[in-house]
Amino acid sequence: MTHSQPTEFEPPRADVIEHAQAAYSDLDTQLTAFFEEFRRVDLIYGAYGRRCGLSFSAYLIFDYICENDGTSQREICAYTLLPRQTVNNVINALASQGLLRLEGSKHDKRVKRIHFTDEGERYRHEVATPVREAELQAMAALEPDERRAMIAYVDKFMNALEQRIGGLEV
């Protein structure tokens, strides 16, 4: 499942990050550098997904199903923030490739639960397992105190951001 390749985005990493880390750096530069780093996450996973023959949306959906076997399209939409039609198209394409099967929910037959087929499990192992190992190795490259600090600081920033944006008048 390959889509046209978007223009590659190259963040101004070295310059922006170096400037943002300088003692005299302004808040705007630091905020830009911070968001550039978050954008890199999408770039890293998007590039890997394309190498596996998946669009970015398909990779996001596939990754979510890997962690949530038996999920529904509604749950995928809520988590990924992708439109229902996009999720439906990707699920149907993966099912037509023999990677997924849909079953009616035991509680509500209108809801289809998404599961991997045997072929899907093999593909999952081929695509998702190496990524998870790479993620664990990347996290292990940080010292335990660095990992805790990273999580704590990002959480503190996100809580402050959520509070301030939540208080904005529209």
Side-chain angles (χ1 to χ4, degrees), residues 156-169:
K156 183 175 183 178
F157 173 79
M158 292 300 175
N159 288 336
L161 182 63
E162 183 177 33
Q163 180 181 21
R164 281 153 182 86
I165 289 179
L168 293 176
E169 296 291 325

Side-chain angles (χ1 to χ4, degrees), residues 141-158:
L142 301 173
E143 295 297 323
D145 287 344
E146 291 173 321
R147 293 190 298 260
R148 285 190 289 275
M150 175 182 66
I151 294 165
Y153 291 142
V154 170
D155 181 60
K156 183 175 183 178
F157 173 79
M158 292 300 175

Side-chain angles (χ1 to χ4, degrees), residues 59-71 100 116 120-121 123-125 127-129:
Y59 184 79
L60 285 177
I61 293 166
F62 180 80
D63 184 61
Y64 184 78
I65 297 168
C66 286
E67 297 297 321
N68 299 278
D69 187 49
T71 191
L100 301 178
F116 284 108
E121 282 294 341
Y123 187 69
R124 172 187 184 179
H125 183 71
V127 171
T129 301

Side-chain angles (χ1 to χ4, degrees), residues 56-112:
F56 184 64
S57 297
Y59 184 79
L60 285 177
I61 293 166
F62 180 80
D63 184 61
Y64 184 78
I65 297 168
C66 286
E67 297 297 321
N68 299 278
D69 187 49
T71 191
S72 69
Q73 289 188 29
R74 177 175 287 168
E75 291 163 350
I76 294 169
C77 290
Y79 186 81
T80 63
L81 302 177
L82 292 169
R84 190 178 67 191
Q85 189 61 47
T86 299
V87 171
N88 186 56
N89 289 344
V90 169
I91 295 300
N92 287 336
L94 293 173
S96 72
Q97 293 173 25
L99 301 175
L100 301 178
R101 61 184 163 75
L102 283 69
E103 295 179 358
S105 170
K106 292 179 174 86
H107 305 292
D108 186 346
K109 294 297 181 194
R110 295 172 298 174
V111 175
K112 301 289 185 215

Side-chain angles (χ1 to χ4, degrees), residues 9 11-13 16-17 29-46 56 60 149-159 161:
F9 172 80
R13 286 194 30 74
V16 172
I17 292 171
T29 300
Q30 290 174 333
L31 185 65
T32 298
F34 181 72
F35 284 129
E36 289 293 340
E37 289 304 301
F38 269 100
R39 172 88 168 108
R40 274 181 73 201
V41 172
D42 289 345
L43 295 174
I44 292 165
Y45 288 106
F56 184 64
L60 285 177
M150 175 182 66
I151 294 165
Y153 291 142
V154 170
D155 181 60
K156 183 175 183 178
F157 173 79
M158 292 300 175
N159 288 336
L161 182 63

